[in-house]
């Protein structure tokens, strides 16, 4: 019995498997850092994720601010799940992004502001986060 070492047993065609492409980076291309952080902050402040989920993504007082805000789940709503309605960022200096986002849950809209700083390793980290005090009704 002769064995063909170029193909598996039971395979009759001579085609070879195509090359497997290199794995993509885990970050989503085209998403700006302030949009990515807005989603993460919303997940923590709405109670979908624990505050320690942001531990490696914060610097300075930002983690303490989140730890203080998160237990009250200020962006949690009854009924509709909160979503980011709008998120805009400005770059006042190289390596700094100041952003604001509006969070909608049903008819309620809340404001969130945060600051990102880029480290020497080129990773963005949240340096501060604030929420608007009074919910605003959505416009029809």
């Amino acid at each position: 019995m002769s064995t063909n070492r170029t193909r598996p047993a039971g395979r009759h065609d001579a085609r070879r498997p195509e090359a497997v492409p290199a794995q993509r980076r885990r970050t989503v291309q085209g998403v700006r850092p302030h949009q990515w952080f807005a989603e993460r902050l919303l997940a923590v402040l709405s109670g979908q994720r624990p505050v320690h989920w942001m531990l490696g993504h914060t610097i300075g007082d930002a983690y303490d601010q989140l730890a203080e805000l998160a237990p009250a789940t200020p962006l949690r709503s009854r009924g509709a799940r909160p979503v980011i309605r709008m998120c805009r960022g400005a770059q006042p200096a190289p390596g700094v992004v100041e952003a604001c986002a509006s969070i909608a849950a049903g008819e309620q809209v809340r404001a969130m502001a945060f600051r990102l700083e880029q480290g020497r390793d080129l990773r963005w980290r949240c340096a501060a986060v604030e929420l608007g005090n009074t919910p605003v009704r959505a416009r029809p």
Side-chain angles (χ1 to χ4, degrees), residues 2-106:
S2 77
T3 58
N4 186 346
R5 295 184 191 263
T6 59
R7 51 188 152 176
R11 185 167 174 187
H12 301 288
D13 61 3
R15 292 179 297 156
R16 302 203 43 89
E18 294 179 24
V20 177
Q23 284 192 336
R24 291 185 184 186
R25 293 181 62 187
R26 297 194 91 183
T27 59
V28 178
Q29 299 297 325
V31 176
R32 295 183 175 149
H34 60 277
Q35 294 168 326
W36 187 82
F37 270 91
E39 292 287 344
R40 292 184 76 88
L41 291 169
L42 173 61
V44 169
L45 296 173
S46 64
Q48 298 170 37
R49 293 286 186 161
V51 71
H52 69 264
W53 192 53
M54 290 293 292
L55 193 55
H57 301 287
T58 57
I59 57 173
D61 293 335
Y63 185 79
D64 294 335
Q65 292 168 339
L66 283 173
E68 198 174 298
L69 290 169
T73 58
L75 297 179
R76 177 178 282 174
S77 68
R78 295 177 190 215
R81 185 176 184 173
V83 295
I84 295 174
R85 182 188 226 185
M86 176 276 306
C87 183
R88 292 201 174 98
Q91 195 166 7
V96 175
V97 172
E98 292 181 349
C100 63
S102 61
I103 312 298

Side-chain angles (χ1 to χ4, degrees), residues 126-139:
C126 184
V129 61
E130 289 184 14
L131 295 176
N133 290 338
T134 56
V136 180
R137 303 282 287 168
R139 289 186 227 166

